[in-house]
Each structure stands twice: as structure tokens, then as C-alpha cells.
């Protein structure tokens, strides 16, 4: 077993924190930021039981401005 470092994006939705991994499509949530990250870690570990770990896929984080009506 080896460890890999992944990137998560966390937003607040009502009373929940939603954590999403940017390298693979895995998302989880929790009542606290720490819970959301712990739940995401567990979800990712389960995900990687059936999928290969990403290699060389560091996401580029950039803001995007859009017009809304």
C-alpha cells in the first residue's frame, strides 16, 4: 500500500460541507469541514479498491468568470 496526494475542493451547501476530489470523480460530505475531508478520504480509498490511481494528473486550478442573469 502506498499513499498518494490528491486535491480536493470544498464548498458549503446549507448545513453541509461538500468535498470533491479534482483528480477523480469522487465526492463526499460532512457536517464539519473535517468530517467532509475524512469522508472523502474513506470514499477515495474505497474507489481505489476497484480503480487505478491517477498518474501525472495534477489539476490546474483557475478562476472562471461568467455572466449570469
Amino acid at each position: 500500500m502506498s499513499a498518494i496526494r490528491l486535491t480536493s475542493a470544498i464548498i458549503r451547501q446549507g448545513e453541509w460541507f461538500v468535498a470533491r476530489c479534482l483528480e477523480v470523480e469522487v465526492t463526499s460530505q460532512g457536517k464539519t469541514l473535517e468530517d467532509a475531508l475524512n469522508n472523502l478520504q474513506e470514499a477515495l480509498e474505497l474507489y481505489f479498491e476497484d480503480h487505478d490511481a491517477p498518474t501525472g494528473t495534477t489539476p490546474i486550478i483557475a478562476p472562471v468568470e461568467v455572466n449570469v442573469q
Side-chain angles (χ1 to χ4, degrees):
M1 181 184 299
S2 63
I4 60 172
R5 182 173 291 259
L6 300 170
T7 310
S8 64
I10 302 141
I11 61 170
R12 182 98 191 228
Q13 287 188 337
E15 296 183 17
W16 294 90
F17 288 91
V18 178
R20 180 172 60 97
C21 179
L22 299 182
E23 288 84 357
V24 295
E25 292 299 321
V26 175
T27 302
S28 194
Q29 65 183 13
K31 286 283 191 179
T32 67
L33 181 64
E34 183 177 284
D35 286 344
L37 286 171
N38 287 337
N39 292 340
L40 180 61
Q41 180 182 10
E42 182 179 340
L44 286 165
E45 289 171 350
L46 291 170
Y47 174 85
F48 288 124
E49 287 179 3
D50 296 324
H51 297 85
D52 292 333
T55 56
T57 55
T58 302
I60 297 170
I61 310 299
V64 176
E65 185 174 321
V66 297
N67 294 315
V68 294
Q69 297 181 10

Coordinates of all heavy atoms in Angstrom, one line a residue:
M1 N 0.8 -1.2 0.0 CA 0.0 0.0 0.0 C 0.9 1.2 0.0 O 1.9 1.3 0.7 CB -0.9 0.0 1.2 CG -1.8 1.2 1.3 SD -2.8 1.3 2.8 CE -3.7 -0.2 2.8
S2 N 0.5 2.2 -0.8 CA 1.3 3.5 -0.8 C 0.3 4.6 -0.8 O -0.9 4.5 -1.1 CB 2.1 3.5 -2.1 OG 1.3 3.5 -3.3
A3 N 0.8 5.8 -0.4 CA 0.0 7.0 -0.3 C 0.2 7.8 -1.5 O 1.3 7.9 -2.0 CB 0.3 7.7 1.0
I4 N -0.9 8.5 -1.9 CA -0.8 9.5 -3.0 C -1.5 10.7 -2.5 O -2.3 10.7 -1.6 CB -1.4 9.0 -4.3 CG1 -2.9 8.7 -4.1 CG2 -0.7 7.8 -4.9 CD1 -3.7 8.4 -5.4
R5 N -1.0 11.9 -3.0 CA -1.6 13.2 -2.6 C -2.6 13.6 -3.7 O -2.2 13.7 -4.9 CB -0.5 14.2 -2.4 CG -1.1 15.6 -2.0 CD 0.0 16.5 -1.6 NE 0.7 16.0 -0.4 CZ 0.4 16.6 0.8 NH1 -0.4 17.5 1.0 NH2 1.1 16.1 1.9
L6 N -3.8 13.9 -3.4 CA -4.8 14.3 -4.3 C -5.3 15.7 -3.9 O -5.0 16.2 -2.8 CB -6.0 13.3 -4.3 CG -5.6 11.9 -4.7 CD1 -6.8 11.0 -4.5 CD2 -5.2 11.9 -6.2
T7 N -6.1 16.4 -4.7 CA -6.6 17.7 -4.5 C -8.1 17.7 -4.3 O -8.8 17.0 -5.0 CB -6.3 18.6 -5.7 OG1 -4.9 18.5 -6.1 CG2 -6.6 20.1 -5.4
S8 N -8.5 18.4 -3.2 CA -10.0 18.4 -3.0 C -10.4 19.9 -3.0 O -9.7 20.8 -2.7 CB -10.3 17.8 -1.7 OG -9.8 18.5 -0.6
A9 N -11.7 20.1 -3.5 CA -12.3 21.3 -3.4 C -13.5 21.2 -2.5 O -14.3 20.2 -2.6 CB -12.8 21.7 -4.8
I10 N -13.7 22.1 -1.6 CA -14.7 22.0 -0.6 C -15.6 23.3 -0.6 O -15.1 24.4 -0.7 CB -14.1 21.9 0.8 CG1 -13.2 20.6 0.8 CG2 -15.2 21.7 1.9 CD1 -12.0 20.8 1.6
I11 N -16.9 23.0 -0.7 CA -17.9 24.1 -0.6 C -18.9 23.9 0.5 O -19.0 22.8 0.9 CB -18.6 24.3 -2.0 CG1 -19.4 23.1 -2.3 CG2 -17.6 24.7 -3.1 CD1 -20.3 23.3 -3.5
R12 N -19.5 24.9 0.9 CA -20.6 24.8 1.9 C -21.9 24.8 1.2 O -22.1 25.7 0.4 CB -20.5 26.0 2.9 CG -21.4 26.0 4.0 CD -20.8 25.5 5.2 NE -21.8 25.2 6.3 CZ -21.6 25.6 7.5 NH1 -20.6 26.3 7.9 NH2 -22.5 25.3 8.4
Q13 N -22.7 23.9 1.5 CA -24.1 23.8 0.9 C -25.1 23.7 2.1 O -25.2 22.6 2.6 CB -24.2 22.6 0.0 CG -23.5 22.9 -1.3 CD -23.9 21.8 -2.4 OE1 -24.3 20.7 -2.0 NE2 -23.7 22.1 -3.6
G14 N -25.6 24.8 2.5 CA -26.5 24.8 3.6 C -25.8 24.4 4.9 O -24.8 25.0 5.2
E15 N -26.2 23.4 5.6 CA -25.5 22.9 6.8 C -24.4 21.9 6.5 O -23.7 21.5 7.5 CB -26.5 22.3 7.7 CG -27.6 23.3 8.2 CD -28.5 22.6 9.2 OE1 -28.2 21.6 9.8 OE2 -29.6 23.2 9.4
W16 N -24.1 21.6 5.3 CA -23.2 20.6 4.9 C -21.9 21.2 4.3 O -22.0 22.1 3.5 CB -23.8 19.5 4.0 CG -24.9 18.7 4.6 CD1 -26.2 19.0 4.7 CD2 -24.7 17.5 5.4 NE1 -26.9 18.1 5.4 CE2 -26.0 17.1 5.8 CE3 -23.6 16.7 5.7 CZ2 -26.2 16.0 6.6 CZ3 -23.9 15.6 6.5 CH2 -25.2 15.2 6.9
F17 N -20.8 20.5 4.4 CA -19.6 20.8 3.7 C -19.5 19.6 2.6 O -19.6 18.5 3.0 CB -18.3 20.8 4.5 CG -18.3 22.0 5.4 CD1 -18.8 22.0 6.7 CD2 -17.6 23.1 5.0 CE1 -18.7 23.1 7.5 CE2 -17.5 24.2 5.8 CZ -18.1 24.2 7.1
V18 N -19.3 20.0 1.4 CA -19.2 19.0 0.3 C -17.8 19.1 -0.2 O -17.3 20.1 -0.6 CB -20.2 19.3 -0.8 CG1 -20.0 18.3 -2.0 CG2 -21.6 19.3 -0.3
A19 N -17.1 17.9 -0.2 CA -15.7 17.8 -0.6 C -15.6 16.9 -1.9 O -16.2 15.8 -1.9 CB -14.8 17.2 0.5
R20 N -14.9 17.4 -2.9 CA -14.8 16.8 -4.2 C -13.4 16.6 -4.5 O -12.6 17.6 -4.4 CB -15.6 17.6 -5.2 CG -15.6 16.9 -6.6 CD -16.5 17.7 -7.6 NE -16.1 19.1 -7.7 CZ -15.3 19.5 -8.7 NH1 -14.9 18.7 -9.7 NH2 -15.1 20.8 -8.8
C21 N -13.0 15.4 -5.0 CA -11.6 15.2 -5.4 C -11.6 15.7 -6.9 O -12.4 15.4 -7.7 CB -11.3 13.7 -5.4 SG -9.6 13.4 -6.0
L22 N -10.5 16.5 -7.2 CA -10.4 17.0 -8.6 C -9.7 16.1 -9.6 O -9.9 16.3 -10.8 CB -9.6 18.3 -8.5 CG -10.2 19.4 -7.6 CD1 -9.4 20.7 -7.7 CD2 -11.7 19.7 -8.1
E23 N -9.0 15.1 -9.1 CA -8.3 14.2 -10.0 C -9.2 13.0 -10.5 O -9.1 12.5 -11.6 CB -7.1 13.6 -9.3 CG -5.9 14.5 -9.2 CD -6.0 15.4 -7.9 OE1 -7.0 15.3 -7.2 OE2 -5.1 16.2 -7.7
V24 N -10.2 12.6 -9.6 CA -11.1 11.6 -10.0 C -12.5 12.1 -9.5 O -12.6 12.9 -8.6 CB -10.8 10.2 -9.3 CG1 -9.5 9.7 -9.9 CG2 -10.7 10.3 -7.8
E25 N -13.6 11.5 -10.1 CA -14.9 12.0 -9.8 C -15.5 11.3 -8.5 O -16.3 10.4 -8.6 CB -15.8 11.8 -11.0 CG -15.5 12.6 -12.2 CD -15.7 14.1 -11.9 OE1 -16.6 14.5 -11.2 OE2 -14.8 14.9 -12.3
V26 N -15.0 11.7 -7.4 CA -15.4 11.2 -6.1 C -15.8 12.4 -5.2 O -15.0 13.3 -5.1 CB -14.4 10.3 -5.4 CG1 -14.8 9.9 -4.0 CG2 -14.0 9.1 -6.3
T27 N -16.9 12.3 -4.6 CA -17.4 13.4 -3.8 C -18.0 12.9 -2.5 O -18.6 11.8 -2.5 CB -18.5 14.2 -4.5 OG1 -18.0 14.7 -5.7 CG2 -19.0 15.4 -3.7
S28 N -17.9 13.6 -1.4 CA -18.5 13.2 -0.1 C -18.9 14.5 0.6 O -18.6 15.6 0.2 CB -17.5 12.3 0.7 OG -18.2 11.7 1.7
Q29 N -19.5 14.3 1.8 CA -19.9 15.4 2.5 C -19.9 15.1 4.0 O -19.7 14.0 4.5 CB -21.4 15.8 2.2 CG -22.4 14.7 2.5 CD -23.8 15.1 2.1 OE1 -24.0 16.0 1.3 NE2 -24.8 14.4 2.6
G30 N -20.0 16.2 4.8 CA -20.0 16.1 6.3 C -20.5 17.3 6.9 O -20.6 18.4 6.3
K31 N -20.9 17.2 8.2 CA -21.5 18.4 8.9 C -20.4 19.4 9.2 O -20.6 20.5 9.4 CB -22.1 17.9 10.2 CG -23.5 17.2 10.0 CD -24.5 18.3 9.7 CE -25.9 17.7 9.7 NZ -26.9 18.6 9.5
T32 N -19.1 18.9 9.3 CA -18.0 19.8 9.5 C -17.0 19.7 8.4 O -17.0 18.7 7.6 CB -17.2 19.5 10.8 OG1 -16.6 18.2 10.7 CG2 -18.2 19.6 12.0
L33 N -16.1 20.6 8.2 CA -15.0 20.5 7.2 C -14.2 19.3 7.4 O -13.9 18.5 6.5 CB -14.2 21.8 7.3 CG -13.0 21.9 6.3 CD1 -13.6 21.9 4.8 CD2 -12.2 23.1 6.6
E34 N -13.9 19.0 8.7 CA -13.0 17.8 9.0 C -13.8 16.5 8.6 O -13.2 15.6 8.1 CB -12.7 17.8 10.5 CG -11.8 16.6 10.9 CD -11.4 16.7 12.3 OE1 -10.5 17.5 12.6 OE2 -12.0 16.0 13.1
D35 N -15.1 16.5 9.0 CA -15.9 15.3 8.6 C -16.0 15.1 7.1 O -15.9 14.0 6.6 CB -17.3 15.4 9.1 CG -17.4 15.2 10.6 OD1 -16.5 14.7 11.2 OD2 -18.5 15.6 11.2
A36 N -16.1 16.2 6.4 CA -16.2 16.1 4.9 C -14.9 15.5 4.3 O -14.9 14.7 3.5 CB -16.5 17.4 4.3
L37 N -13.8 16.0 4.8 CA -12.5 15.5 4.4 C -12.2 14.1 4.8 O -11.7 13.3 4.0 CB -11.4 16.4 4.9 CG -11.3 17.8 4.2 CD1 -10.2 18.7 4.9 CD2 -10.9 17.6 2.7
N38 N -12.6 13.7 6.0 CA -12.5 12.3 6.4 C -13.4 11.4 5.6 O -12.9 10.3 5.2 CB -12.8 12.2 7.9 CG -11.7 12.7 8.8 OD1 -10.6 12.9 8.4 ND2 -12.1 13.1 10.0
N39 N -14.6 11.8 5.3 CA -15.5 11.0 4.5 C -15.0 10.9 3.1 O -15.1 9.9 2.4 CB -16.9 11.6 4.5 CG -17.5 11.5 5.9 OD1 -17.1 10.6 6.7 ND2 -18.5 12.3 6.2
L40 N -14.4 12.0 2.5 CA -13.8 11.9 1.2 C -12.7 11.0 1.1 O -12.5 10.2 0.2 CB -13.4 13.3 0.7 CG -12.8 13.4 -0.7 CD1 -13.7 12.9 -1.7 CD2 -12.2 14.8 -1.0
Q41 N -11.8 11.0 2.2 CA -10.7 10.1 2.2 C -11.2 8.6 2.2 O -10.7 7.8 1.4 CB -9.8 10.3 3.5 CG -8.7 9.4 3.6 CD -7.9 9.6 4.9 OE1 -8.3 10.3 5.8 NE2 -6.7 9.0 4.9
E42 N -12.2 8.3 3.0 CA -12.7 7.0 3.0 C -13.3 6.6 1.7 O -13.1 5.5 1.2 CB -13.8 6.9 4.1 CG -14.4 5.5 4.3 CD -15.4 5.4 5.4 OE1 -15.4 6.3 6.3 OE2 -16.2 4.5 5.3
A43 N -14.1 7.5 1.1 CA -14.7 7.3 -0.2 C -13.6 7.0 -1.3 O -13.8 6.1 -2.2 CB -15.6 8.4 -0.7
L44 N -12.5 7.8 -1.3 CA -11.4 7.6 -2.2 C -10.7 6.2 -2.0 O -10.4 5.6 -3.0 CB -10.4 8.7 -2.1 CG -10.9 10.1 -2.7 CD1 -10.0 11.2 -2.2 CD2 -10.9 10.0 -4.2
E45 N -10.5 5.8 -0.8 CA -9.9 4.5 -0.5 C -10.8 3.4 -1.1 O -10.3 2.5 -1.7 CB -9.6 4.4 1.0 CG -8.5 5.3 1.4 CD -8.3 5.4 2.9 OE1 -9.1 4.8 3.7 OE2 -7.3 5.9 3.4
L46 N -12.1 3.5 -0.9 CA -13.0 2.5 -1.5 C -12.9 2.6 -3.0 O -12.9 1.5 -3.7 CB -14.4 2.8 -1.0 CG -14.6 2.5 0.5 CD1 -16.0 2.9 0.9 CD2 -14.5 1.0 0.8
Y47 N -12.9 3.8 -3.6 CA -12.9 3.9 -5.0 C -11.6 3.2 -5.6 O -11.7 2.5 -6.6 CB -12.9 5.4 -5.4 CG -12.7 5.7 -6.8 CD1 -13.7 5.8 -7.7 CD2 -11.4 6.0 -7.3 CE1 -13.6 6.1 -9.0 CE2 -11.2 6.3 -8.7 CZ -12.3 6.3 -9.5 OH -12.1 6.6 -10.8
F48 N -10.5 3.4 -4.9 CA -9.2 2.9 -5.5 C -9.1 1.4 -5.2 O -8.1 0.8 -5.7 CB -8.0 3.7 -4.9 CG -7.9 5.0 -5.5 CD1 -7.9 6.1 -4.7 CD2 -7.9 5.2 -6.9 CE1 -7.8 7.4 -5.2 CE2 -7.8 6.5 -7.4 CZ -7.7 7.6 -6.6
E49 N -10.0 0.8 -4.5 CA -10.0 -0.7 -4.5 C -10.4 -1.3 -5.8 O -9.9 -2.4 -6.1 CB -11.1 -1.2 -3.4 CG -10.6 -0.9 -2.0 CD -11.6 -1.4 -1.0 OE1 -12.7 -2.0 -1.4 OE2 -11.4 -1.2 0.2
D50 N -11.1 -0.5 -6.7 CA -11.5 -1.0 -8.0 C -11.0 -0.2 -9.1 O -11.2 -0.6 -10.3 CB -13.1 -1.0 -8.1 CG -13.7 -1.9 -7.1 OD1 -13.2 -3.0 -6.8 OD2 -14.8 -1.6 -6.6
H51 N -10.2 0.8 -8.9 CA -9.7 1.7 -9.9 C -8.2 2.0 -9.7 O -7.8 2.0 -8.6 CB -10.5 3.0 -10.0 CG -11.9 2.9 -10.3 ND1 -12.8 2.6 -9.3 CD2 -12.6 3.0 -11.5 CE1 -14.0 2.6 -9.9 NE2 -13.9 2.8 -11.2
D52 N -7.5 2.2 -10.8 CA -6.1 2.5 -10.7 C -6.0 4.0 -10.2 O -6.8 4.8 -10.5 CB -5.4 2.4 -12.0 CG -5.3 1.0 -12.5 OD1 -5.3 0.1 -11.6 OD2 -5.2 0.7 -13.7
A53 N -4.9 4.2 -9.5 CA -4.6 5.6 -9.0 C -4.2 6.4 -10.2 O -3.5 5.9 -11.1 CB -3.5 5.6 -8.0
P54 N -4.6 7.7 -10.2 CA -4.2 8.6 -11.3 C -2.6 8.8 -11.3 O -2.0 8.8 -10.3 CB -4.9 9.9 -11.1 CG -5.2 9.9 -9.6 CD -5.3 8.4 -9.2
T55 N -2.1 8.9 -12.5 CA -0.7 9.2 -12.6 C -0.4 10.5 -13.4 O -1.0 10.6 -14.5 CB 0.1 8.0 -13.3 OG1 -0.5 7.8 -14.6 CG2 0.0 6.7 -12.5
G56 N 0.3 11.4 -12.8 CA 0.7 12.6 -13.5 C -0.5 13.5 -13.9 O -0.5 14.2 -14.9
T57 N -1.6 13.5 -13.1 CA -2.8 14.3 -13.4 C -3.0 15.3 -12.3 O -3.9 15.3 -11.6 CB -4.0 13.4 -13.5 OG1 -4.1 12.6 -12.3 CG2 -4.0 12.4 -14.7
T58 N -2.1 16.3 -12.3 CA -2.2 17.4 -11.3 C -3.2 18.4 -11.9 O -2.9 18.9 -13.0 CB -0.9 18.0 -11.0 OG1 0.0 17.1 -10.5 CG2 -1.0 19.2 -10.0
P59 N -4.3 18.7 -11.3 CA -5.2 19.6 -11.9 C -4.7 21.1 -11.8 O -3.9 21.4 -11.0 CB -6.4 19.5 -10.9 CG -5.9 19.0 -9.6 CD -4.7 18.2 -10.0
I60 N -5.1 21.8 -12.8 CA -4.8 23.2 -12.9 C -6.0 24.0 -12.3 O -7.1 23.8 -12.7 CB -4.5 23.7 -14.3 CG1 -3.3 23.0 -14.9 CG2 -4.4 25.2 -14.4 CD1 -3.1 23.2 -16.3
I61 N -5.8 24.7 -11.2 CA -6.9 25.4 -10.6 C -6.9 26.9 -11.1 O -5.9 27.6 -11.0 CB -6.7 25.5 -9.0 CG1 -6.4 24.1 -8.5 CG2 -7.8 26.1 -8.3 CD1 -7.5 23.1 -8.7
A62 N -8.0 27.3 -11.7 CA -8.1 28.6 -12.3 C -9.5 29.2 -12.1 O -10.4 28.4 -12.3 CB -7.7 28.6 -13.8
P63 N -9.6 30.4 -11.8 CA -10.9 31.0 -11.7 C -11.5 31.2 -13.1 O -10.8 31.4 -14.1 CB -10.7 32.4 -11.1 CG -9.3 32.7 -11.4 CD -8.5 31.4 -11.5
V64 N -12.9 31.2 -13.2 CA -13.6 31.4 -14.4 C -14.7 32.4 -14.1 O -15.4 32.3 -13.2 CB -14.2 30.1 -14.9 CG1 -15.1 30.3 -16.2 CG2 -13.2 29.0 -15.2
E65 N -14.7 33.5 -14.9 CA -15.8 34.5 -14.8 C -16.8 34.3 -15.8 O -16.6 34.1 -17.0 CB -15.2 35.9 -14.9 CG -16.1 37.0 -14.6 CD -15.4 38.3 -14.7 OE1 -14.3 38.5 -14.2 OE2 -16.1 39.3 -15.2
V66 N -18.1 34.2 -15.3 CA -19.2 34.0 -16.2 C -20.3 35.1 -15.9 O -20.4 35.6 -14.8 CB -19.9 32.6 -16.1 CG1 -18.9 31.6 -16.5 CG2 -20.4 32.4 -14.7
N67 N -21.0 35.4 -16.9 CA -22.2 36.4 -16.8 C -23.4 35.6 -16.4 O -23.7 34.6 -17.1 CB -22.4 37.2 -18.1 CG -21.2 38.1 -18.3 OD1 -20.7 38.8 -17.5 ND2 -20.8 38.1 -19.6
V68 N -24.1 36.0 -15.4 CA -25.4 35.4 -15.0 C -26.5 36.4 -15.0 O -26.3 37.6 -14.8 CB -25.3 34.7 -13.6 CG1 -24.3 33.6 -13.7 CG2 -24.9 35.7 -12.6
Q69 N -27.7 35.9 -15.3 CA -28.8 36.9 -15.4 C -29.8 36.6 -14.3 O -29.9 35.6 -13.7 CB -29.5 36.7 -16.7 CG -28.6 37.1 -17.8 CD -29.3 37.0 -19.2 OE1 -30.5 36.8 -19.3 NE2 -28.5 37.1 -20.2

